[in-house]
Structures are given as C-alpha cells and as structure tokens.
Amino acid sequence: MGSVATSGQEIVLPRHVAVIMDGNGRWARERGLDRVEGHREGRYAARRFVRAARERGIEVVSLYAFSTENWSRPESEVEALMGLIETALLAELEELCERGARLRVSGRREELPAPLRSALATAEQATAENDGLVLNLCVNYGGQVELVDAAKKIASKVVAGGLDVEDVTPEVFAQHLYVPDIPPVDLLIRPGGDLRVSNFLLWQIAYAEFYSMAEYWPDFQPEHLDRAIEDYSRRQRRFGGLALDE
Ligand code: FPP
C-alpha cells in the first residue's frame, strides 16, 4: 500500500478502488434530459476517474457498468447502455494500450449482445500483456450471481474428484471468482448519496472502506477521488482485529 505525506496529512493510497457509478438518471432528469443522456455523460466521468486513478498510482479500479438487475429497466435504456459500453470501450482502447492498462471483465458475459461480447474480448486481448493499471469492468455483474457461479465451479470439481470438500477454504473459494488475481477492494465509492452496496463485489468488499459522495456520477471530478483518498487515509482499518493502541 502506497503512503505519501502531503500538507501534513499522511496519505495512504488504496490499492483497489471500486465505484458504483450512480446518479446518471437523476443528473439527466434535473436537466430535463432523457436518462440515457446521463449515462452518456457518465461515460466521460468514467474516463476522468480511470485517468485520475492511474495518475495517482492506484493499481486496480472496478467499475459497475451494468448489473444483473439492470435488465429490468426499459428495453430502450438497456439497449442504449449496451451500445454505450461497447462504443466507449473501443474508443478508449488506444489510450488504455498507450498507458499500459489491462482490461479485465467481471460478469456473465454469455448473456450480453454479441457486439459487446466481441468488444470486451478485443479489449481484453489487446491489453492482456499490459502490467499497468487494471480496469475491472463489471458488466452483467451481480455479487450474488458471482458467488453462485464460483460455488458451481467448485461443486463441479468436487463431483469430478479434483477437489476435496475439506479443502474448500476462503482462499480456494476466492480463486473461483471471475477475476481471482486482483487484491480485495480497499475503497468503495458511491456517488449519488445512497448508502447501499447494491450487490457489488460482495466477496471483495468484505473489509472495504465505504465512501459516499452527494454529487451524481456525471459530475465526478478528480478532486472527488482526492477527497475520498484523504478520507480513506484517516480511517483505522482493523480487519476484525484491534487497533495498534488498543
Ligand atoms: C446507474 O445510474 C448507472 C448505470 C446503471 C450505468 C453506468 C454505466 C456507464 C456510466 C457507462 C460507462 C461505460 C464504460 C465503458 C465505463 P442510474 O441510472 O441508476 O441513476 P439514478 O439512480 O439517478 O437513476
């Protein structure tokens, strides 16, 4: 974990920052716009966030782009989101490559439209050898479904005789998550003011610090990330143990 002293305050850099990109619809509605316009603007906020995270030395960012529950939205919004994620990804690919970033994907991709699946595969392959920032894009992602999928993989191995039930530890379980080789979430940021985790990275956020910001996601600016990191730096993380002076 990085640690830098600025203006008297010790800054502790989280390794993995996850974001629930909320408030796009409200941002649009307050401007008399269609909800989809909020998502379009949210795409640029995602770009600002990823750039800011990389510049600050954060290792992994996870973005909640589409949840397993978002299918219940109107068909037009779902279609627009699928197209937007595909277009945004392909448009950002050159910069991701230039900056040495690596795209990882979390979620049930087999249920996504073919053009989006293909864009995800293209971006994954093009960045597979990069060792800079990891962008974990969560699409058709649900925390509960991820745990179910992990349990199914484990059960299959047990049935096939490749794994003993007694050997299923938290470490072994974690190896069956969608992207097993990234550190747990240190800091979970939720814009839009709501105080809930909405089925996001349920396993990975076990000891994450939660940071809520009132601003809607399309209004995200790099200073918000700095404020979140400053706040995170003041937290005393105990991971179920005791603080050093207790
Ligand atoms: C939640 O806001 C936001 C979403 C369901 C979609 C977020 C997706 C993007 C911003 C696209 C980003 C693309 C890439 C490739 C990173 P909401 O609609 O629930 O807002 P509300 O709570 O105000 O209604």
Side-chain angles (χ1 to χ4, degrees):
M1 208 177 297
S3 168
V4 206
T6 55
S7 62
Q9 196 203 330
E10 177 90 358
I11 292 295
V12 180
L13 204 57
R15 293 183 67 192
H16 183 172
V17 180
V19 186
I20 300 173
M21 305 186 285
D22 198 22
N24 297 346
R26 280 166 286 168
W27 181 93
R29 206 170 52 223
E30 286 180 10
R31 286 160 180 78
L33 301 169
D34 190 89
R35 296 176 52 79
V36 171
E37 294 303 324
H39 298 314
R40 287 212 181 98
E41 216 38 55
R43 168 199 162 175
Y44 298 108
R47 178 201 275 167
R48 290 194 292 278
F49 171 77
V50 173
R51 281 183 182 163
R54 195 196 64 82
E55 283 164 9
R56 281 150 187 76
I58 289 163
E59 292 171 47
V60 184
V61 295
S62 289
L63 294 179
Y64 207 178
F66 192 88
S67 79
T68 45
E69 287 70 41
N70 286 153
W71 295 106
S72 66
R73 294 189 177 206
E75 206 179 308
S76 56
E77 183 172 342
V78 170
E79 256 180 43
L81 272 168
M82 294 295 151
L84 182 65
I85 297 168
E86 179 200 335
T87 318
L89 195 58
L90 295 176
E92 302 302 331
L93 190 51
E94 195 178 319
E95 180 169 337
L96 289 176
C97 289
E98 266 171 26
R99 302 290 186 192
R102 179 172 181 199
L103 182 86
R104 309 298 299 272
V105 181
S106 291
R108 280 193 177 164
R109 62 172 83 196
E110 61 277 11
E111 292 162 4
L112 296 170
L116 176 53
R117 284 205 312 269
S118 152
L120 292 168
T122 301
E124 271 177 322
Q125 282 157 22
T127 63
E129 304 302 323
N130 294 347
D131 59 2
L133 175 93
V134 173
L135 166 55
N136 177 34
L137 191 63
C138 302
V139 196
N140 193 21
Y141 176 86
Q144 292 178 337
V145 161
E146 177 174 32
L147 298 181
V148 168
D149 285 347
K152 282 181 177 170
K153 287 180 218 162
I154 291 168
S156 304
K157 286 188 187 172
V158 170
V159 168
L163 181 63
D164 195 298
V165 172
E166 295 310 315
D167 293 333
V168 183
T169 58
E171 291 73 24
V172 168
F173 193 93
Q175 285 160 16
H176 294 81
L177 297 171
Y178 293 134
V179 183
D181 51 340
I182 52 176
V185 176
D186 296 306
L187 175 62
L188 173 61
I189 300 178
R190 180 165 191 147
D194 285 326
L195 299 173
R196 52 176 173 261
V197 296
S198 298
N199 202 15
F200 192 36
L201 300 175
L202 296 181
W203 179 280
Q204 299 86 338
I205 63 167
Y207 283 100
E209 297 294 327
F210 189 71
Y211 182 85
S212 164
M213 48 184 269
E215 294 86 351
Y216 298 140
W217 179 243
D219 288 326
F220 170 85
Q221 294 299 338
E223 299 76 59
H224 295 124
L225 177 60
D226 290 329
R227 264 177 243 153
I229 294 174
E230 276 164 32
D231 195 87
Y232 169 84
S233 302
R234 288 192 290 270
R235 308 276 179 97
Q236 201 170 48
R237 302 187 78 193
R238 294 192 293 275
F239 300 95
L242 295 179
L244 289 175
D245 54 358
E246 281 175 317

